[in-house]
Amino acid sequence: MDRREFFTLKRRAKATSPKPYAGLRQIYSGLTPYSGTWTAKEVAHLLKRTMFGAKKADIDHFLGMTPSAAVDELLNVSTSLPSPPLKNYDNTDIDAADPDISVAKGATWVNTVSTDGTANSQRVNSLKDWWIGTMINQDRSIREKMTLFWHNHFSTETATYERGTYGYKYNTLLRQSAVGNFKTLVKDMTMNVCMLRYLNGYLNTSTAPDENYARELQELFTLGKTNNPNYTEDDVKAAARVLTGWRIKDKTGEDESVYFKPDAHDKTNKTFSSFFGGTVIAGRTDAAGADAEINDLITMIFNKSVEVSEFIVKKLYTWFVYYTIEPDTLTNVIKPLAQQLVSGNWEIKPVLATLLKSEHFFDPLSQGCLIKSPLEMMVMMMREFDVAFPPDTDYDNQYYMWDYLRNQSVIMQQNIADPPSVSGWPAYYQIPMFYEMWINHDTMPKRERFIDQLIGNGYMRNSVKLIIDPVTFVKNNFTNAIAADPNALINALLDIMYRVPISDTLKATIKTQILLSGQAQDYYWSNAWNAYIGAPGDMTAYSTVYTRLQTLFKYFMNLAEYQLA
C-alpha cells in the first residue's frame, strides 16, 4: 500500500462533503451529553483517543459503566508517580569523580546530579526508554496521553538541555499537571529548570535580555499567532525584561534548583502595548518581587481570556477529536469550552469532561478520522495485543526492548523527548496536512516492516522475544464460542483493531481465504480451533490455528484502516 492508496482510503472514510479537501466535513453536533449506544465500538473510540489503545480488558471494564462514568474514571488521574527511570548502563567512559559513578546499576539516577557528558547521554536514553515503558504500562486514565500532549505543547529537546535530571523534572511536571490548572502550569513551566535551560532563560540579564522564552510564552504557549490585534515585538522585549535574573544551580554537588540573581534583573518598570491595555508591570528588586513580576506578566496575558482560552481549547480539540475546526464546530464546541475554561478559573479537567462526554466527541464523523502517530501506532499495538515484556527484575532486557520501540519511532519521525523544534511535531500544527504528515513514502514502509516483524518472527535479544502471539491473544481475550466462530471472531477483532468499518463482502472474502483456507463452510475454522483447544499440546493442531491467525492479523494490520484511530 502506497501513500496515495492510504489517503484514498482516508478520504473515502470521511467523505461527507462535496468540498475538494478531505479534511473538511460537515458536523453539527455540540456539547450536549452523549446518550447514544454504548457498545465496544464507542468504548474503543474513547479509549483510543484518551489512552494508548483499547485493550480488550479495558473495553470490558468500561462497558459496564455509563459513558459519563467512564470519562470520569479516565479523568481521575492518580497523584502518585510511576517508579522513576533506572540506571541501565555501566560506567564506561564516565569521569571517575562524577556522582553518577556511585549510582548502582538497577537503581534510579534521578536524585543524583551529574555533570558528565557521557553519563547524561546515557541518562537521556534511559529517560526516553522509561517514558515508552510508562506509556505501555499506563493505568486506566488519561494521564499518559495528556503528558504527551503537554510535551508537544511546551516542547523541549534533550539535545539542547542535555541533562537527564532536567528532563525528568520536566516530565514530572507534565505528568503532575496532566489535568490540572493551565495558568498554574504556565507559571510552573516558566520556572522549570529544563525550560529555563532549553530557551535560555538562565542567560537572561538586564544588560542582554534573551527573548526566546518571552516570545514562545506568548506565541506558542498561551496566545498563539493568529489573534488580531495581537501582541507586538515590543511586548516580547518587555516580557523578556520581566523574566531576567533567574538562574539554575548546575554545578557538581548542587541540587539543580532555581535561584534569583538580583544584579541580573531589570528593576525598571515594563510597559506593554495597547493589546494588553497599556499595562505597566512595576520593577522590583528581590526574589519575591521578581516572582511577583512573573505573576503579573502571566495574569496580564491570561486577562486576554478569549484569546488564551480559545487557543488552548483548539489544541485540545485537535489532539482528541479532529485536526480541522469547521465554523459550526467553532461555534458549537470551541467557544463554549473556552468560556467554561475561563469561568472555571483555567481548570483543564472540567473542560475535558465536557468535551469527552459530548455528542460531538462520539459523533460518527469524529471517529476513525485521526492518523496514529508512530508512538500511538506502536504503543497501541503492544498494549492491545498484550505483547509480553521482560519483568522489572530483568530491567536490562526490559529497557532494551523499550529502546527498540523508541528507535523504531525515531525512524518513523517521532523522537520522544526530542521534537524537531519548540513548536513540537509538525503533524500537530502544520496546516493543511496536520496528522497526514505522519505518512509518507519513507515512513509507511517502515510502519509496515515493524508490523510484519512483530506479527512474524518477532524481535529477539538475549533469548527474549518481543512478538505478537495471535493464538494466546484470541484464547485469553475471547470466549471459546467467539473464537470458534469465524464470523464472530473477525467482528470481535475488528472492534479492537479498527475504527473504520469494512464491508461485509470484504469480511466474507477474508474469512474464506484465511480462516477457512479457501473452503466454503465455517466449520473448517471451527473444527481447527476446537481441535487445538481439545489438545493444546498437539503441535499440528496448534500450527494450523497459529498460521491462520497470524495471516489474519497481518492482513488486518497491513490495511490502511489500521493506521486510523
Side-chain angles (χ1 to χ4, degrees), residues 388-433:
F389 282 79
D392 292 345
T393 52
D394 186 12
Y395 67 87
D396 187 53
N397 278 316
Q398 184 185 63
Y399 271 70
Y400 198 96
M401 291 304 181
W402 293 339
D403 191 70
Y404 163 70
L405 298 179
R406 176 176 68 86
N407 287 325
Q408 291 297 305
S409 184
V410 170
I411 68 174
M412 297 177 203
Q413 300 180 2
Q414 190 174 27
N415 185 359
I416 188 70
D418 272 302
S421 75
V422 68
S423 298
W425 284 283
Y428 296 126
Y429 66 84
Q430 192 68 61
I431 297 172
M433 295 290 288

Side-chain angles (χ1 to χ4, degrees), residues 303-320:
N303 282 341
K304 304 297 295 186
S305 57
V306 173
E307 290 86 348
V308 174
S309 61
E310 290 190 8
F311 172 67
I312 195 63
V313 164
K314 286 176 181 178
K315 293 201 73 170
L316 288 167
Y317 181 87
T318 58
W319 187 265
F320 286 107

